[in-house]
Amino acid sequence: QVQLVESGGGLVQDGGSLRLSCAASGSIFRFEVAGWHRQAPGKQRELVATITGGGRTNVEGAAKGRFTISRDSAKNTVFLHMNSLKPEDTAVYYCNVGGVIVRTGGGFSSWGQGTQVTVSS
């Protein structure tokens, strides 16, 4: 099994920046894809950004141009760099990592517990 722990959330003013981290631990795995998602109160969870094992990244919608996603493979950690934050970015942010467990060859998809990001106006 692979466990994910997110960190880096908090309260920031309009226009500020935060960096979220998602650290994976547990079984040794081959990384295939990771994504950051967010869920605002009363809204559905939405995809924010993805990164593949080949390093291809994509940022969705309103986050494009402000957020970037990156990975430190040596530390099994995925980051979401958020700049020019707006009140509408307020949400719980979740990371999701998919890959293959080396020992068993089985695939997995794990979610973190979420980290709150609040942007004040």
Side-chain angles (χ1 to χ4, degrees):
Q1 298 296 327
V2 176
Q3 295 80 40
L4 305 179
V5 177
E6 296 124 334
S7 61
L11 175 64
V12 65
Q13 289 189 332
D14 191 353
S17 299
L18 284 174
R19 187 186 76 165
L20 305 184
S21 301
C22 173
S25 63
S27 300
I28 297 173
F29 65 95
R30 184 179 74 245
F31 174 88
E32 293 193 336
V33 65
W36 282 97
H37 305 249
R38 67 186 181 186
Q39 187 166 18
K43 295 186 177 181
Q44 290 189 329
R45 189 174 296 190
E46 63 177 357
L47 177 65
V48 176
T50 57
I51 184 168
T52 69
R56 183 173 297 179
T57 63
N58 184 64
V59 179
E60 300 285 335
K64 199 180 292 284
R66 300 185 297 124
F67 294 7
T68 57
I69 186 171
S70 65
R71 181 171 75 101
D72 183 335
S73 57
K75 297 181 178 180
N76 277 338
T77 301
V78 178
F79 302 98
L80 183 67
H81 309 264
M82 305 186 295
N83 297 316
S84 301
L85 282 162
K86 305 175 182 180
E88 50 264 43
D89 294 316
T90 295
V92 178
Y93 284 71
Y94 300 89
C95 71
N96 169 241
V97 172
V100 177
I101 303 295
V102 170
R103 181 177 61 85
T104 64
F108 75 93
S109 177
S110 295
W111 287 85
Q113 81 287 353
T115 185
Q116 176 70 46
V117 171
T118 303
V119 184
S120 62
S121 57

